[in-house]
Amino acid sequence: RGPAPRVQYLGALPKEQIVSLSRGRFPARLSLPDLDPAVLEHYRLLWRGEDLHANLAQFPALTAATLFGRAAPLEIDIGCATGEFIVGLAADHPERRFLGVEISRKPIEHAVAKAVARGLDNIRFLQADMILAAALLAPQTVGAIYIHFPVPFTTTRKRKHYTYAPRLLTIYRNALVTGGRLSFVSDDQRVAAEITQAVTREAGFAPVAEADWQLALSDHLRSPYQRLWAQRKRTIWRAEFERTADMK
């Protein structure tokens, strides 16, 4: 299975930096951008949690074929927030197809505004709870899944909200094409340890050596969270895992 991903921190964090800072308040501080309703409808799918829970079979599969009418591996940013990262990827790779998933309205509309401003049509957004929508990922249709800066829930009761829970990792593995990547970034030591442990236990994933990571998080791809944590001297942990061939 190869070596475990390297986890390195620059030292103990001050107590005031252990909490999740402005993560919970960030969406509330945003104002809604001025978007034409037809443009918003073109870019954003709005799937309500109660509908997904009660009528999952009525929703289409999350594939490039259903979203773009093109059979190609889809790349998905789970928790895309205001879209800097996934919009940057879509701009850099017009030949690929992208989906940003975010549960909150204000951030996802800002992400749509960024895609519109750059004239992109190789990206769509899903406003939904990925915990529920993940079941709509089709086997062998996803080229990469990015889970960058997931919310570090602090209570056991909230573990059901983890986007890297073992049940979801199994879904992600089945959705990825062979050789597809699962990319994680976090500023939280506990989250890093939990992800490493969970993915290591999941058959069908192999850690990718740092020298072979497919993605360099250059300045224009950094999210507001990553820039904030870097300014506050929080160490950023990263790991990539590759979907291996099916187990015999």
Side-chain angles (χ1 to χ4, degrees), residues 73-116:
L74 186 65
E75 300 192 22
I76 304 173
D77 182 12
I78 298 175
C80 69
T82 48
E84 285 82 359
F85 171 71
I86 195 69
V87 170
L89 278 181
D92 285 349
H93 300 281
E95 77 284 1
R96 286 148 58 177
R97 297 297 178 263
F98 298 89
L99 175 68
V101 182
E102 172 61 47
I103 197 170
S104 300
R105 177 189 177 188
K106 290 180 180 179
I108 208 166
E109 290 198 17
H110 277 268
V112 170
K114 289 181 176 66
V116 172

Side-chain angles (χ1 to χ4, degrees), residues 40-51:
L40 181 60
E41 183 178 2
H42 174 73
Y43 277 95
R44 182 196 64 176
L45 300 171
L46 174 57
W47 293 356
R48 302 186 187 281
E50 56 267 30
D51 297 328

Side-chain angles (χ1 to χ4, degrees), residues 8-248:
Q8 183 177 4
Y9 291 92
L10 298 182
L13 295 174
K15 183 177 181 180
E16 66 272 14
Q17 292 188 20
I18 297 296
V19 297
S20 59
L21 298 174
S22 60
R23 246 181 273 256
R25 298 189 299 274
F26 173 63
R29 292 202 303 265
L30 294 171
S31 58
L32 287 172
D34 184 16
L35 286 171
D36 183 282
V39 171
L40 181 60
E41 183 178 2
H42 174 73
Y43 277 95
R44 182 196 64 176
L45 300 171
L46 174 57
W47 293 356
R48 302 186 187 281
E50 56 267 30
D51 297 328
L52 286 168
H53 181 75
N55 302 296
L56 186 67
Q58 297 183 10
F59 289 86
L62 289 172
T63 66
T66 57
L67 293 171
F68 299 96
R70 174 182 173 183
L74 186 65
E75 300 192 22
I76 304 173
D77 182 12
I78 298 175
C80 69
T82 48
E84 285 82 359
F85 171 71
I86 195 69
V87 170
L89 278 181
D92 285 349
H93 300 281
E95 77 284 1
R96 286 148 58 177
R97 297 297 178 263
F98 298 89
L99 175 68
V101 182
E102 172 61 47
I103 197 170
S104 300
R105 177 189 177 188
K106 290 180 180 179
I108 208 166
E109 290 198 17
H110 277 268
V112 170
K114 289 181 176 66
V116 172
R118 302 183 74 161
L120 303 177
D121 202 35
N122 62 333
I123 187 170
R124 298 291 184 272
F125 297 92
L126 171 63
Q127 184 182 336
D129 185 348
M130 194 60 185
I131 307 299
L132 299 173
L136 296 166
L137 296 173
Q140 296 276 321
T141 59
V142 177
I145 295 174
Y146 308 99
I147 303 178
H148 292 182
F149 300 99
V151 176
F153 294 115
T154 56
T155 65
T156 301
R157 180 176 61 86
K158 292 186 177 180
R159 286 182 180 273
K160 64 182 179 180
H161 299 297
Y162 286 6
T163 53
Y164 51 87
R167 175 183 68 85
L168 294 171
L169 291 177
T170 300
I171 294 175
Y172 301 155
R173 180 202 63 206
N174 293 337
L176 286 166
V177 299
T178 299
R181 297 291 179 88
L182 183 57
S183 172
F184 291 103
V185 182
S186 180
D187 61 292
D188 188 282
Q189 299 182 44
R190 179 180 51 81
V191 170
E194 288 179 343
I195 289 173
T196 301
Q197 183 180 59
V199 180
T200 300
R201 290 177 175 176
E202 182 69 30
F205 281 118
V208 178
E210 183 175 351
D212 296 324
W213 287 347
Q214 66 175 359
L215 190 63
L217 296 184
S218 55
D219 288 340
H220 72 288
L221 295 182
R222 290 181 179 176
S223 71
Y225 289 136
Q226 182 169 355
R227 293 195 298 269
L228 175 62
W229 303 155
Q231 290 169 3
R232 300 194 180 193
K233 309 301 183 184
R234 294 186 72 134
T235 301
I236 307 301
W237 170 85
R238 291 186 60 192
E240 280 193 18
F241 299 87
E242 184 175 77
R243 190 348 176 133
T244 59
D246 290 335
M247 305 291 290
K248 299 297 184 180

